[in-house]
Amino acid sequence: MISHRSVSSHTPVLLSETLRALAVQPGGRYIDCTLGGGGHAATILDHSSPGGQLLGIDADPKAIEVAQERLQHYKNSILLVNDNFVNLQSICIKYDFSPVHGILFDLGLSSLQLNGNGRGFSFQYDAPLDMRFSPHQKVTAADIVNTAPEAKLAHIIREYGEEIYSHRIASHIVKQRPIKSTLELARLIEQAVGSRRGKIHPATKTFQALRIAVNHELEYLETALRQAVDLLGFEGRLVVISYHSLEDRIVKRLMQREARGCICPPGTPSCVCGHLPRLRLINKKVIKPSAMEIDLNPRSRSAKLRAAERVITQGDCYDTTEDQAFITIAKSRGWRRPALMKKIRMAFLAA
Ligand SMILES: C[S@@+](CC[C@H](N)C(=O)[O-])C[C@H]1O[C@@H](n2cnc3c(N)ncnc32)[C@H](O)[C@@H]1O
């Protein structure tokens, strides 16, 4: 286990496993799409030095502030952007930051957001029902809870919280609104479904559902993952840590699909899709935290890490046999930046 100083109170999850999965190397270029407290970013910068560069993105301006302070030692190697990772591609175009050696998504919330700081993410602290990652977003959890029709509310709680009592909860909410605070909502859910449900608090699933709906988490994740695959250079790594089954399903499906050749429906006599693999799965099974890590950091207990590596397909900048031969040579010399490799090759051919 790699040791790390915790300037912020967020402890990075699966840290050594993330570094290994990203295959961090000196001089590499990395994107941390979920900068949070900057814990993963600091370790990536440590291991990519000398010459490493990191683009850090977070939708939450407070996270950027905290990470900026934590990463000031690396100020010449970082670029921190307060934006949503759904805009990953345009951010990279704006800052001319591609292709890259690795992209990390460590999804969900940081401890900075969860710990009673008035953001409304947790039912353990009283706060207004907000739950937005960014103050620039228009819709808050209170807007959804207090204005959505009952059927829509039940749908959100069912789909994004996988809550079997979604209808009962939605009906209680509608009868008792307006609901202003986290504790008010948590109490109401307890009344609706009872206070004991195994180990988890009865409000856990509804809070997860509202947070996902407020931040469009699932749609944005899928869009950003697709963009990430495009931004990876040859042998670049995509690493995603997810914390619940809805996120993990999206990551798993996307990686598996991108790792397959033909994706024609079963029974199609011959391939009509022309799909080519763009990824190779690094770990077929998810990587989970050890018992020791869970003991030290209980918030890591639901983490699942998946990683994949970019492979070259026709239609990338290498599409001839000659190109493939060039890639083999370049690979044997450890060159991993396709655009640069292509430029060198063109210069070599023109000479
Ligand atoms: C689990 S924390 C990351 C912690 C970080 N890896 C560390 O070591 O400190 C997740 C972060 O991702 C951010 N985030 C979640 N969804 C986002 C999105 N769609 N766009 C940008 N940032 C997002 C959250 O604001 C939060 O700060």
Side-chain angles (χ1 to χ4, degrees):
M1 191 77 187
I2 287 159
S3 68
H4 49 86
R5 278 175 305 128
S6 190
V7 174
S8 67
S9 58
H10 183 87
T11 307
V13 170
L14 290 167
L15 189 57
S16 333
E17 293 83 351
T18 301
L19 272 190
R20 246 195 320 276
L22 278 173
V24 176
Q25 55 173 308
R29 293 220 279 184
Y30 300 91
I31 306 177
D32 184 344
C33 293
T34 49
L35 190 63
H40 282 105
T43 311
I44 292 169
L45 283 158
D46 274 342
H47 285 74
S48 59
S49 149
Q53 292 175 306
L54 180 124
L55 167 63
I57 301 171
D58 205 296
D60 184 347
K62 292 239 164 61
I64 296 285
E65 246 174 63
V66 171
Q68 196 134 35
E69 201 184 320
R70 181 175 194 167
L71 302 175
Q72 55 186 307
H73 175 61
Y74 308 96
K75 61 177 184 296
N76 298 326
S77 314
I78 56 172
L79 177 61
L80 305 187
V81 178
N82 178 209
D83 201 341
N84 198 295
F85 60 53
V86 74
N87 302 319
L88 180 59
Q89 200 161 40
S90 55
I91 297 169
C92 288
I93 291 171
K94 180 170 175 192
Y95 295 102
D96 192 19
F97 204 87
S98 75
V100 295
H101 293 91
I103 303 182
L104 171 65
F105 290 82
D106 174 23
L107 300 168
L109 295 169
S110 73
S111 308
L112 309 165
Q113 292 161 327
L114 264 175
N115 296 343
N117 57 7
R119 306 285 295 274
F121 287 115
S122 168
F123 47 79
Q124 292 178 357
Y125 306 95
D126 201 16
L129 278 171
D130 188 325
M131 299 197 194
R132 292 170 300 168
F133 283 139
S134 160
H136 304 301
Q137 291 165 228
K138 289 200 178 81
V139 178
T140 66
D143 294 330
I144 296 178
V145 163
N146 292 317
T147 63
E150 185 175 329
K152 180 158 185 208
L153 209 45
H155 179 78
I156 289 173
I157 298 170
R158 170 83 206 167
E159 291 299 307
Y160 297 155
E162 300 185 288
E163 169 60 84
I164 53 170
Y165 299 114
S166 55
H167 286 285
R168 207 189 289 177
I169 294 171
S171 146
H172 264 69
I173 289 176
V174 170
K175 278 189 204 125
Q176 302 203 27
R177 48 195 194 189
I179 297 151
K180 297 211 171 90
S181 78
T182 50
L183 289 193
E184 220 180 308
L185 179 62
R187 258 185 248 120
L188 187 150
I189 296 168
E190 263 186 86
Q191 283 164 17
V193 302
S195 57
R196 285 249 49 86
R197 293 176 69 193
K199 282 185 188 159
I200 68 162
H201 188 283
T204 307
K205 293 180 172 189
T206 302
F207 270 65
Q208 171 185 303
L210 289 171
R211 196 197 82 204
I212 291 176
V214 166
N215 296 292
H216 305 279
E217 289 183 36
L218 304 182
E219 303 99 281
Y220 286 5
L221 173 61
E222 188 152 358
T223 306
L225 289 176
R226 285 182 202 290
Q227 297 176 9
V229 178
D230 290 336
L231 293 165
L232 288 173
F234 174 48
E235 291 188 339
R237 298 281 181 97
L238 172 62
V239 176
V240 188
I241 306 174
S242 60
Y243 294 86
H244 56 77
S245 57
L246 298 171
E247 286 171 347
D248 184 53
R249 203 171 304 150
I250 291 172
V251 180
K252 179 177 165 186
R253 286 199 185 142
L254 184 128
M255 285 188 176
Q256 284 181 343
R257 187 185 159 95
E258 290 287 0
R260 273 170 63 191
C262 172
I263 51 169
C264 291
T268 312
S270 63
C271 174
V272 287
C273 70
H275 188 264
L276 293 166
R278 295 202 298 163
L279 292 179
R280 177 180 76 80
L281 303 184
I282 302 292
N283 54 322
K284 298 238 159 52
K285 284 195 173 162
V286 286
I287 297 171
K288 296 182 185 170
S290 64
M292 190 165 83
E293 177 168 1
I294 295 174
D295 215 29
L296 291 170
N297 179 17
R299 276 185 187 155
S300 70
R301 67 186 172 276
S302 51
K304 289 181 179 165
L305 183 151
R306 292 186 188 271
E309 182 177 78
R310 183 78 156 87
V311 294
I312 283 167
T313 53
Q314 285 175 10
D316 283 340
C317 38
Y318 318 105
D319 44 13
T320 64
T321 321
E322 211 183 332
D323 282 327
Q324 293 298 342
F326 175 76
I327 288 159
T328 311
I329 298 166
K331 197 175 159 186
S332 71
R333 295 187 186 167
W335 301 345
R336 295 180 49 170
R337 293 174 57 184
L340 184 61
M341 283 161 58
K342 189 173 183 192
K343 267 191 215 155
I344 295 168
R345 174 171 181 273
M346 300 307 277
F348 173 74
L349 292 178

